[in-house]
Amino acid sequence: MYFSAKDDAERKSTRLKSPVLIPKEVKQSQIFSNLFAGNGTPTIYTSFSSPTEGFEVIALDFNEPENEYFVKRYYNRLLEKYFRYYDDVVVTKSGITDDIQVWLLANGDKKHINHDNKQYELIEMDRFTIRVKYDHYNNCPYLLVANDRPALMLNVPVARLLAEGANDPFTSKSSITPSMINKVMTREVRKGSDGTEYVVRRIDRYDYLQSHNKYCPLETTRPIMSGELKRFFGLDKHEETRTFESKYIKYLEKIENFRKKFLNTKDIERIFPNLAYEFTKVNPLQVGETSSSKRMLIFGKDSNGNDVRNVRQQYGVNSGPRIKCPYTDIQLIAIYHTSDKKYASHLLGYFRNGNYCSGNNDERKKLEMYIGTNVSYADKLLHIEFKDMLNPTREIEEALYGKEYRNLNPKIKYVGIYVSPIHKYASSKESKECYYKIKEMFLKHNIPTQCIDSNRMRGQLERDVKKNRKDFIYTLQNMGIAICAKLGGSPWLLDEIEKKELIIGIGAFRSDNQQYIGAAFSFDNTGVFNDYSYFQKSELDELVGAIKMAIIHYSAVNSQPERIIIHYYKKISRKREFKKVEDMLKSLNLNVPVFIVTINKTESEDIVLFDEESTYTSYNYQTRQNEVVKSLMPYSGKWVNLGPSKEGHRYLLCNNTRYENERFSNMDGFPFPIKLTIACPNRNDKIETPVVQQLIDQVYQFSRIYWKSVKQQGLPVTIKYPEMIAEIMPHFNDKTVYTDNNCLWFL
C-alpha cells in the first residue's frame, strides 16, 4: 500500500482522519517515525494499492488486528466499484456502518394493489449487505453476506403520486404528501467516454435530494414503500402469513444464489483471494454449549405433592402455577362490542368451566388450573357492552365511572376480558390508541385486562369446527398463563438453587414521536420478578436511580448481592453511563463485580450459524406420511465465541426448541441466534471461564420464563419485558397509573 504525509497533486488519495485507520506498519515505519513521536495524530494520506508519485510503499499484514479498519475501508472501496458495473442492481451505503448494500432489480416479484379505484404495481427487491468483517478469534478478515428484508418499490413516478387527489383543494379524500415519501430510486442515463449509454440508479432519501438540489426528476423517480405509504395503501393491515418451514433454508438459498451470481467471479477472486467461494467452517475450539439442566423448569405439584419439572412449558403448565395468585375471589368482567356478545359469553364460559373441550376430562382446561385459585363471573352490571366499533373508549369510560364501578368490592380481584373489534394491524393511530386507553382506564380501577382480537377468535373457532379440531385451547392456555402473571403469580420458574445475585434488565422502544422510553426490571436468579421502573431515554440519572433502588429492595429482603448482572439492550458507554453506576455503588459501599451483558434486541440476521446435519420430522398432508426434512438450525444452547472487541467478549447463542435426543416440532419456529457481549468494567473485564458459562446460561434461561405464551422465545425477558413497558407508557396519560409493581399487568 502507498502512504504519504502530504496529499498527492491530483488529490486522488484518501486522508486517514481517524487514528484507528492508520495501519500498524505505518506507525512503526522509520519513514513516518518522527510524525508519531508527539502526542497528536498526524495527517496521513493513502492511495491504497495505486502507485502514486511521492508516496512510500509499505507492506501490510491484513491479518493484523490493529489494521482492521484500514482493511475494511480498502475492501469497501473495491466492492462498491465492482457492483456499480452491474446494470440490474442498485448499490447503496449504510449511513452508520458504511457497508455496501446491494438491491436486486432483476427477477423481483411483482404484485398489484387497488386503491381508490386505481391499480398500482409493486416490485419486491431482494437486498444484501456486503460487509467486510474481522474475525477476532481466528485473526483474519472475512466477507460477510447478509440477506436483508426485501424492499417494496411502488412502480409509479413520484410526480403522478403527488398530483393525484390534488385537483380539488377541498376534497375529503386523503392524498399522498411529500413528507410521506422516505427513500426513492432515481434513474439517470449517462454516456461513457466511448459514446455508449449506460444507466445509473441510486437509492437516496427524498428530502436529502430535494434540499441539496441533487438529481431527482419526479417524472422518472420511484418511491420505496415507507411505513406511512404502506399505511396509506392499507398494506400494514395484512397479517404476516405464518409458515412452519425453516427460514434457515430460504436464507441460505438466497445467499447461495447471490454468491454464485456475483461472488463466484474472477474479478472478486482478484479482490478477495479465496475468501468469496465458500462459507466459513466454525473452528471447533470456539464452540460451547449450555448445560442441558438449564432447560429444566419447575411448575406446580402433582397429586402426591411433589414438584413437577419439565423442559416443555406447554406440558408443565398442566400441573398448575409454581406460585399461585394471592387472591381467593377472582371475578371475570367481559368488555365487548354488541356483535361479539355471543363470543364474549362463550369465552368467559371457557375460562370459568373449561368447557371448550367438553367430554375429555384431561382437556377441561379451566382458568383455575393456570392461576391456582377459583374463578367466577362478575355481577352482570359490571360487564360492558359498547356500540361504537371504531372508538369504544367513550362508552367504556362512562361505564367505568358509573355507580357500579364506584362501589367495587375491595375483597374481590377483578380481571377484564376485552374482546377487541379493532385488529392489531389497524392503520389509524386513533384505533391503535384505543387498546392503550382502555388498558389505562381499567388499571386506574386496579383491574388488569386480557385482550383478544375478536376477528382472530372467530376465525380460529370456525377453523376448529371445519377441521374437527380444538386448537383454540392453545390460545386459552396462553391467555391463562398471562392472567396468572398479571395477578401476581408465577406460572413456572427456573429450576435453580437461589443465589445471592441480582439480575436487572434494561430495554427500550422507539415510539411514534421518535423518543425512546426505557424500563428496568429486576429478578433473582430463579426468575422471581422483583419490581420495575420506567423513564425517558435522556434520564440517565433516573436509570441509575432505578438500579440503585433495585439493589436496595433486594438487599433489604435478602442480603447484599455478591454480584450484579445487567442485561442491556445496547452498548453501554463506559465513560458516561457505567461511571455513574460505579459512583452509585460507592455511595452504597458495595464492592461487587458488575457484569454487563449486551443483548441485541433482534435476532442476528448477519452472522448466522448453520448445522448441515440438522433435520426434523414433518407430516406431509398430501402424502399423509411423515417425512424427514432438513432444517439447518443448530441445537438449542450451542454458542460460538466470536472473539474479543473493545466492548467485551462476543458470543453467538442459538436459542430454540431443538434439543438433543428430543422430538422437535416445526410449529415452535426456527429463530436465528442472538448476539451477546459480556463485560465487567469494574474488574477490568477480567472474567473467569466458569463465569462466562454461567452468564450465557442465564441469558438462555431467562428466555424460558416468558409468561405471555408457552412458546420458546429467542430473547430473554430481561430485554422483552422492558421493551413491552416502554412501548405502552408513551400512550398513558398517568405514568404512575399502576403502583402494584409485583405483577406483570402489561403482558
Side-chain angles (χ1 to χ4, degrees), residues 101-225:
Q101 190 179 58
V102 180
W103 301 45
L104 302 189
L105 296 176
N107 302 322
D109 292 335
K110 297 180 181 180
K111 65 178 181 178
H112 294 85
I113 56 173
N114 290 303
H115 180 78
D116 197 20
N117 296 322
K118 298 184 181 71
Q119 192 174 72
Y120 299 87
E121 184 182 66
L122 287 173
I123 299 177
E124 185 177 279
M125 294 185 287
D126 278 330
R127 297 185 292 179
F128 296 85
T129 291
I130 314 298
R131 184 175 299 157
V132 179
K133 298 279 289 182
Y134 193 85
D135 184 342
H136 285 271
Y137 189 91
N138 297 299
N139 287 334
C140 62
Y142 65 95
L143 186 65
L144 184 146
V145 181
N147 177 214
D148 304 326
R149 296 179 184 181
L152 286 174
M153 182 178 72
L154 190 61
N155 196 18
V156 178
V158 171
R160 175 188 153 188
L161 281 181
L162 297 179
E164 289 178 350
N167 295 329
D168 183 1
F170 304 110
T171 181
S172 60
K173 293 182 180 180
S174 60
S175 58
I176 293 176
T177 61
S179 61
M180 297 167 66
I181 301 174
N182 185 10
K183 288 185 177 181
V184 295
M185 185 181 81
T186 59
R187 181 180 183 277
E188 183 180 3
V189 180
R190 294 180 181 176
K191 283 190 176 182
S193 56
D194 58 355
T196 57
E197 292 185 345
Y198 63 98
V199 176
V200 176
R201 296 182 180 87
R202 295 187 182 278
I203 305 285
D204 278 300
R205 287 197 343 267
Y206 178 61
D207 60 351
Y208 170 80
L209 295 174
Q210 293 293 92
S211 60
H212 289 76
N213 198 30
K214 298 290 185 180
Y215 180 84
C216 184
L218 301 186
E219 294 76 18
T220 57
T221 298
R222 262 67 173 166
I224 307 300
M225 294 297 282

Side-chain angles (χ1 to χ4, degrees), residues 10 31 136 140 192 222 245 270 319 325 467 497 507 522 584:
E10 297 181 357
I31 303 171
H136 285 271
C140 62
R222 262 67 173 166
E245 297 178 355
R270 283 192 286 269
S319 301
C325 300
K467 297 181 179 180
I497 298 173
S522 66
M584 176 270 293

